[in-house]
Amino acid sequence: MKKLLPFLASLLLLAVLSSYTRPLAGYQIGDKAADFKLKNVDGKMVSLAGNKAAKGYIVVFTCNTCPYAKAYEQRIMDLHTKYAAQGYPVVAINPNDPAVAPGDAFAEMQKRAKDKKYAFPYLQDETQEVARQFGATRTPHLYVLTRQGSGFVVSYIGAIDDNSEDAKLVKTKYLENAMTEIMAGKPASVNSTKAVGCTIKWKKA
Amino acid sequence: MNRLKLPGLLAALLFTASAGHAQQVKVLKLPELQKRLAKPSDTTYVVNFWATWCAPCIKELPYFEQANAAYAGKKVKVLLVSMDYVSQLDKKVKPFVLKRGLKSEVLLLNETDPNSWIDKVEPKWSGSIPFTLMVNNSRQKRAVFEREFTQAELTSELQKFMK
């Protein structure tokens, strides 16, 4: 036992070290989502805990500049209209570095939100820490969070639907199908989907 | 009169032919692309997924063109697979390919539902572009890059892959 102890201790240390050096893979379905505090276009700070009435959130990583984000903008606004009333408002987060994409600067975000009359928060992820924590890779990239106890868990990750070009030609509404099941208290049968999108404009190291 | 006309006509024909060649963008569905990438040959495929609307993709296109030229005749095939909508083929993609004078083979993947095909191309790919795949089937080698390359990075990754 005496010999075993240092061995076990070193194993434990190795496990701890490797968990730190491993790059963040982002949230998986069922993971608890850590709260965040980001600046909204109205200048106020927004956090998940701030909206006590929310049963959950539709978190959308999106931006001003990506053609796919623009193609989905109206559909994102429609999602908010439909689901905010049922307790799942949209929270839009712009993770792009304005130094790489000047069109995503905070002032430009404010302008976009005002012109399009966003009824939901449009937050700037200035440090890109929230996008990294979620594991977001592209815009648009969606996460449905549902309230569980004092926090929120990830219930759906991925796409809005199966046709970015034309909302009228959509055959499968991935996110809405998942929402129907989630709001009925069931796990989504299709809980992860993929979409083509613009890579997040990460800060140059 | 006839003598004067003929060279002009020839030149016009040649011009149309070369312009036509440069403009070629093959539209294909996923099974056809899969079949091409599954060929048991010793050719290294460098497959770059891009789009005319994707700024970082456009920035790195010259690096792929450069690799295509550098490895000409060395069993390396660069495929530039456009993610543009097929409705944009004549309006955006062909004029872009012509204007840039792209020499690598350009394809346009005509699929609407990425969730149904991304995993068939590569399960590790989340869907953001630019995305690059290097495949050599006879050597059973495969490398994936869901990121933007600098010219130096692409050169070194390709050299590493070819070793």
Side-chain angles (χ1 to χ4, degrees):
Chain A
M1 190 64 194
K2 261 185 187 168
K3 269 183 193 168
L4 205 61
L5 213 59
F7 173 70
L8 282 175
S10 60
L11 258 189
L12 189 72
L13 186 70
L14 199 72
V16 167
L17 279 177
S18 61
S19 75
Y20 276 112
T21 50
R22 190 166 46 104
L24 275 175
Y27 292 146
Q28 308 293 316
I29 298 298
D31 282 357
K32 204 170 173 217
D35 204 352
F36 50 77
K37 205 171 227 179
L38 295 174
K39 191 163 77 169
N40 191 12
V41 283
D42 65 4
K44 291 179 185 143
M45 301 303 280
V46 169
S47 66
L48 295 175
N51 183 348
K52 301 269 185 285
K55 294 177 188 164
Y57 291 99
I58 300 172
V59 175
V60 188
F61 290 90
T62 188
C63 66
N64 284 4
T65 50
C66 170
Y68 268 60
K70 286 184 207 166
Y72 272 115
E73 185 179 39
Q74 186 59 49
R75 280 176 263 186
I76 292 167
M77 291 162 69
D78 293 344
L79 284 174
H80 179 74
T81 307
K82 180 169 179 181
Y83 292 107
Q86 303 180 66
Y88 290 81
V90 163
V91 173
I93 301 175
N94 186 333
N96 283 351
D97 178 13
V100 182
D104 286 313
F106 190 66
E108 297 296 322
M109 287 173 56
Q110 288 178 309
K111 198 163 166 286
R112 188 91 192 172
K114 197 174 161 216
D115 288 351
K116 297 284 175 175
K117 300 191 175 64
Y118 286 177
F120 46 82
Y122 188 25
L123 315 176
Q124 186 183 39
D125 185 10
E126 212 176 342
T127 63
Q128 306 186 315
E129 207 45 60
V130 177
R132 250 193 296 274
Q133 197 155 32
F134 272 73
T137 59
R138 59 177 188 271
T139 53
H141 200 159
L142 285 88
Y143 293 76
V144 174
L145 309 181
T146 41
R147 190 182 286 280
Q148 202 176 80
S150 58
F152 294 90
V153 293
V154 178
S155 305
Y156 174 85
I157 303 174
I160 294 177
D161 57 42
D162 65 357
N163 194 316
S164 55
E165 182 178 21
D166 192 344
K168 288 190 284 294
L169 297 178
V170 167
K171 292 195 193 81
T172 312
K173 294 183 172 181
Y174 294 121
L175 185 113
E176 296 203 23
N177 292 350
M179 284 304 293
T180 303
E181 292 172 310
I182 289 164
M183 290 190 304
K186 291 183 283 196
S189 42
V190 178
N191 57 25
S192 300
T193 55
K194 287 186 176 179
V196 172
C198 305
T199 181
I200 288 175
K201 306 299 178 285
W202 300 105
K203 287 181 200 292
K204 303 271 184 238
Chain B
M1 187 66 185
N2 269 345
R3 269 191 198 163
L4 270 175
K5 254 184 175 171
L6 201 62
L9 195 69
L10 265 175
L13 266 173
L14 274 173
F15 177 77
T16 340
S18 64
H21 176 74
Q23 226 175 349
Q24 237 173 35
V25 177
K26 190 179 156 58
V27 175
L28 80 179
K29 302 293 272 186
L30 184 72
E32 205 180 331
L33 180 65
Q34 281 180 299
K35 220 160 97 186
R36 254 194 100 174
L37 299 181
K39 273 188 191 159
S41 73
D42 189 30
T43 297
T44 294
Y45 283 94
V46 179
V47 192
N48 173 247
F49 292 82
W50 68 288
T52 58
W53 48 259
C54 165
C57 304
I58 291 170
K59 200 173 141 205
E60 64 175 13
L61 277 182
Y63 315 151
F64 286 93
E65 283 283 279
Q66 202 262 349
N68 187 48
Y71 284 92
K74 287 178 185 152
K75 289 190 174 176
V76 173
K77 178 90 188 149
V78 173
L79 295 179
L80 304 176
V81 183
S82 161
M83 297 283 97
D84 287 273
Y85 303 130
V86 72
S87 62
Q88 303 297 308
L89 179 66
D90 291 325
K91 214 161 52 187
K92 287 258 178 70
V93 186
K94 282 182 178 177
F96 179 90
V97 169
L98 190 65
K99 194 176 139 210
R100 299 279 170 140
L102 297 184
K103 300 283 189 295
S104 309
E105 188 175 344
V106 182
L107 308 170
L108 187 146
L109 185 61
N110 179 22
E111 296 284 355
T112 47
D113 179 14
N115 187 54
S116 71
W117 62 260
I118 286 178
D119 280 344
K120 291 178 191 165
V121 172
E122 172 54 52
K124 287 193 208 114
W125 181 17
S126 85
S128 75
I129 57 170
F131 173 77
T132 301
L133 184 66
M134 296 179 189
V135 191
N136 186 306
N137 291 321
S138 71
R139 292 165 59 214
Q140 296 189 333
K141 278 190 86 171
R142 192 176 172 91
V144 295
F145 309 91
E146 188 164 357
R147 63 181 168 93
E148 189 185 334
F149 281 121
T150 63
Q151 181 150 17
E153 282 164 358
L154 178 63
T155 307
S156 90
E157 289 296 347
L158 191 53
Q159 274 169 357
K160 218 163 79 188
F161 190 86
M162 299 293 287
K163 265 183 196 157

